[in-house]
Amino acid sequence: MLFRSGWFQDVLQRVGVPHTVVMADGVTRSNITLVESDGTVTKINEPGVTLTETIIDEVEAAMAALPLDGSWVVFAGRLNPGASDSTYLELARFAKSRGALVAVDVSGKPLDVALRGGVVDLIKPNQHELGEIVGRPLDTLGSVIEAAREVIDRGVTDRKSTRLNSSHGYISYAVFCLKK
């Protein structure tokens, strides 16, 4: 299915979600997940438009125009080409400087960089992503809990919002409040 420019904005407007859209040259990327009857999952992810400094500046300007104090700002998804591993950290710092709470839902190096920056309030790693953070595979519930505690112990002092969820006998995701 091919979407015209602005389709997502139209949907948000129709369902009444306040939003600000920063337009970039190119087409919104599509991500498709195929699940076979045996449970095999195949993801097909387009790269998306190249993120330039101009686009990042426009995102910051859009955030600056919003009353962020006490509001949540979420940075999610694989970074587009042109973005550095520190892009979410830099955007998170910008949002925090305006009083926002920041959630980051990404994996790999961008997640590691964002966590080490000390400005992220919430992460939502799945089992694989949590294993990447601690540098080892997590094969049991106990290993996931141990890894979650490791991440929290890297300097998190407020543990009240830490939560682990499990479904179908394996860990599907973990949610951590990294309030410092």
Side-chain angles (χ1 to χ4, degrees):
M1 177 178 229
L2 205 58
F3 297 103
R4 66 170 179 75
S5 178
W7 69 269
F8 192 64
Q9 183 175 3
D10 292 345
V11 170
L12 291 174
Q13 191 166 342
R14 189 171 55 248
V15 297
V17 175
H19 61 280
T20 300
V21 174
V22 174
M23 297 299 287
D25 291 332
V27 177
T28 302
R29 72 176 178 215
S30 293
N31 298 311
I32 301 167
T33 302
L34 307 172
V35 181
E36 297 179 42
S37 60
D38 67 356
T40 301
V41 176
T42 303
K43 292 189 175 200
I44 303 169
N45 299 323
E46 293 180 334
V49 299
T50 299
L51 287 182
T52 63
E53 283 301 314
T54 301
I55 295 170
I56 298 297
D57 290 346
E58 289 177 17
V59 170
E60 288 180 351
M63 285 192 293
L66 298 171
L68 295 183
D69 192 31
S71 295
W72 281 96
V73 174
V74 179
F75 300 104
R78 181 186 48 80
L79 290 166
N80 285 27
S84 74
D85 288 337
S86 64
T87 298
Y88 280 154
L89 170 60
E90 293 160 12
L91 290 170
R93 282 183 176 146
F94 187 89
K96 288 297 273 192
S97 74
R98 280 144 182 81
L101 298 163
V102 175
V104 175
D105 183 9
V106 68
S107 61
K109 187 74 170 171
L111 175 58
D112 186 51
V113 171
L115 286 175
R116 292 181 191 281
V119 294
V120 175
D121 297 296
L122 180 80
I123 61 173
K124 187 212 60 75
N126 61 30
Q127 183 176 353
H128 176 75
E129 292 163 348
L130 183 58
E132 285 180 341
I133 295 170
V134 297
R136 65 181 180 276
L138 305 175
D139 302 326
T140 65
L141 178 59
S143 68
V144 171
I145 291 169
E146 181 180 326
R149 288 186 176 133
E150 269 180 57
V151 171
I152 293 167
D153 288 341
R154 289 180 182 177
V156 178
T157 57
D158 180 356
R159 301 175 188 199
K160 66 184 173 205
S161 296
T162 302
R163 181 176 59 137
L164 293 177
N165 290 316
S166 176
S167 63
H168 308 297
Y170 62 92
I171 298 299
S172 57
Y173 64 89
V175 176
F176 306 93
C177 181
L178 303 182
K179 195 77 171 166
K180 295 186 178 186

